[in-house]
Amino acid sequence: MKLALILLAAGDSRRFNGNKLLHEFNGKPMYQYILEEVEKLPDDIFDRKVVVTQYQEIMSCMSDYGYEVVVNEESSLGISHSIHLALEVLENEETDYCFAVCDQPYLKAATIRDLVRGWRNSGKGIGCLCNMGALGNPAIFSKNYLKELLKLEGDVGGKRVIRRHIEDLYLHEVVDGLELVDIDVRKDSES
């Protein structure tokens, strides 16, 4: 079965007090960290790469790297809207889905690769990263979960589906919990 990478990069960054995805974090825009790590992965790990965003800079950069750009003009509808937009683009494709966010600057390519391999070998329908019991992104869903993902509403993401199907979940433990940290609040030293 094919696997599509879906990068979610349309958020309004309400808690961040500014656009966190374009914010310079240790010398480069935050969204570029995941882009650079995905570039280190084997070419055959993802069959398609999609980014959902409302930001022109991200659209331009990602299309240069071969991503299909899906424009989210209604980000106020929450993360579920970005999920729906991506799934609509992929709906006629026989593929599974790997969702990742663009505000985890410490996530490493090897961790993404090991998650995908471990999930494929597990025979489970869902896979995600975790650290000491805390669930994190990326998260992978087999096509069997398409209808449930399309029923998500508001600012609710795939964790709701994961929690309903713990018996079908492959957890990939991350040794360094920093990899799962998403940057939601601007530190004074970064502004």
Side-chain angles (χ1 to χ4, degrees):
M1 182 66 97
K2 295 179 178 178
L3 183 60
L5 174 65
I6 300 166
L7 293 184
L8 301 173
D12 292 330
S13 310
R14 286 183 202 96
R15 289 179 287 171
F16 190 76
N17 189 24
N19 185 333
K20 69 178 171 182
L21 298 176
L22 299 178
H23 177 73
E24 289 257 329
F25 185 83
N26 294 332
K28 59 186 158 194
M30 188 155 348
Y31 79 90
Q32 286 189 358
Y33 285 90
I34 185 87
L35 177 63
E36 290 173 6
E37 293 304 309
V38 169
E39 285 299 301
K40 297 175 186 175
L41 293 168
D43 290 339
D44 62 350
I45 197 164
F46 297 116
D47 299 279
R48 284 177 78 177
K49 295 186 287 189
V50 174
V51 61
V52 182
T53 188
Q54 63 175 318
Y55 304 111
Q56 189 61 50
E57 179 181 324
I58 295 175
M59 290 178 209
S60 299
C61 180
M62 294 292 197
S63 64
D64 288 347
Y65 282 86
Y67 284 76
E68 297 171 58
V69 175
V70 178
V71 180
N72 182 344
E73 295 175 339
E74 298 179 280
S75 61
S76 62
L77 296 176
I79 196 167
S80 66
H81 185 59
S82 287
I83 291 169
H84 297 166
L85 290 171
L87 293 174
E88 286 169 17
V89 167
L90 297 165
E91 77 180 321
N92 294 323
E93 186 108 10
E94 281 300 312
T95 189
D96 297 321
Y97 318 102
C98 179
F99 291 94
V101 293
C102 294
D103 61 355
Q104 284 180 251
Y106 303 108
L107 183 65
K108 298 295 177 216
T111 302
I112 300 168
R113 181 200 65 216
D114 293 347
L115 167 65
V116 171
R117 286 181 182 165
W119 171 75
R120 282 197 165 126
N121 291 333
S122 75
K124 301 283 188 176
I126 304 172
C128 74
L129 296 179
C130 71
N131 178 254
M132 297 189 302
L135 303 179
N137 288 307
I140 304 172
F141 297 87
S142 76
K143 191 169 176 72
N144 298 339
Y145 289 98
L146 175 62
K147 288 181 181 172
E148 264 188 83
L149 290 166
L150 287 171
K151 288 180 183 174
L152 294 172
E153 295 179 346
D155 206 23
V156 174
K159 281 187 185 158
R160 177 162 290 172
V161 176
I162 290 171
R163 288 191 179 105
R164 282 192 205 127
H165 300 282
I166 295 294
E167 77 291 345
D168 197 24
L169 174 62
Y170 164 74
L171 287 172
H172 186 81
E173 184 73 23
V174 177
V175 177
D176 184 358
L178 193 60
E179 285 195 68
L180 300 188
V181 170
D182 60 344
I183 308 298
D184 282 330
V185 179
R186 184 193 306 245
K187 295 178 186 168
D188 290 337
S189 62
E190 293 173 5
S191 25

